[in-house]
Amino acid sequence: MREDTSGFEVGDEEPAPVVLSAEQLLALGREASRDMMLVLAAQAVTGLLVVAVAGIWAGSTAALSALLGAGAYWFLNALFALRLRVNAARSVRANPYVLLFGELVKLFLTALLVGFVSWYAKAWLVWPAMLAGLALTMKGYLPLFVLLRKRSMQ
């Protein structure tokens, strides 16, 4: 044992790696897949709520703008989740660089879609509604995590 700069004793040994059985790996994969689908569902519900609020508050043009903003992110996120599920089903080994690259491509394509929508619908687009649909759909999983955390604490 040695003492580090903060005054705590630190062991020199590396912790042993965790080895999971095949059943544990399958259960972990199923749980991750289920959680990914829950996040997509939460984002879809959040996006549809934003569309409904925009439609009630500012009319059908704002609702369509919010739908385009929410859809620009959600559709690409769903495609990325599908790709991750296919790779998991094929037992492809997870690579963090592939995940990072996929996230970057998803965000770049979302920005391109938003740019295309703004160019195509510039005469009638309601920017606040579109940006609200985009931003709230991106973070639509946060209420789900709060609910799941409260349930796990009980």
Side-chain angles (χ1 to χ4, degrees):
M1 294 293 239
R2 63 180 168 79
E3 194 171 298
D4 70 354
T5 57
S6 62
F8 292 105
E9 290 186 9
V10 179
D12 291 332
E13 308 88 33
E14 297 255 341
V18 177
V19 179
L20 299 176
S21 68
E23 295 82 24
Q24 290 172 321
L25 283 172
L26 280 173
L28 191 61
R30 279 193 295 271
E31 184 179 343
S33 181
R34 182 198 60 154
D35 289 348
M36 192 167 44
M37 293 302 114
L38 279 174
V39 166
L40 280 174
Q43 288 177 329
V45 167
T46 303
L48 292 174
L49 285 173
V50 172
V51 169
V53 168
I56 291 168
W57 192 2
S60 61
T61 306
L64 182 58
S65 297
L67 181 65
L68 289 172
Y73 182 78
W74 188 86
F75 177 71
L76 293 171
N77 202 28
L79 287 178
F80 187 51
L82 178 65
R83 182 181 187 280
L84 291 175
R85 282 193 82 180
V86 167
N87 280 352
R90 289 186 0 209
S91 297
V92 174
R93 186 170 175 197
N95 185 344
Y97 295 113
V98 171
L99 181 68
L100 177 64
F101 182 72
E103 282 291 328
L104 290 174
V105 167
K106 180 179 71 171
L107 292 175
F108 177 73
L109 289 176
T110 300
L112 278 178
L113 274 175
V114 168
F116 176 74
V117 165
S118 69
W119 173 77
Y120 181 74
K122 61 185 163 197
W124 54 266
L125 186 67
V126 180
W127 274 97
M130 186 184 81
L131 293 176
L134 177 68
L136 292 175
T137 300
M138 278 184 177
K139 298 303 175 190
Y141 59 88
L142 292 176
L144 175 70
F145 284 155
V146 170
L147 290 173
L148 291 177
R149 183 173 175 175
K150 283 183 181 178
R151 189 179 348 149
S152 68
M153 289 180 156
Q154 294 174 353

